[in-house]
Amino acid sequence: MQLAFLKQLLEKKLISDREYSLIKNRLMKDYKIVSDLLS
């Protein structure tokens, strides 16, 4: 759910590509997600 919200922020240009990547990587690390199937 957090990744979906993050993607919406990126699509609406409220965050940059770099911010998106940093936050997504942090969320994936926090929740121990090893594969990015959503991209």
Side-chain angles (χ1 to χ4, degrees), residues 3 20 24 28 33-39:
L3 289 174
Y20 173 78
K24 184 181 79 165
M28 289 175 69
I33 301 170
V34 294
S35 177
D36 187 8
L37 299 175
L38 299 175
S39 293

Side-chain angles (χ1 to χ4, degrees), residues 11-33:
E11 290 171 354
K12 293 180 181 184
K13 305 291 187 208
L14 297 175
I15 60 173
S16 69
D17 289 332
R18 185 174 185 277
E19 289 171 316
Y20 173 78
S21 294
L22 290 172
I23 297 168
K24 184 181 79 165
N25 288 338
R26 180 60 191 220
L27 286 172
M28 289 175 69
K29 182 179 177 186
D30 288 350
Y31 290 100
K32 296 175 178 49
I33 301 170

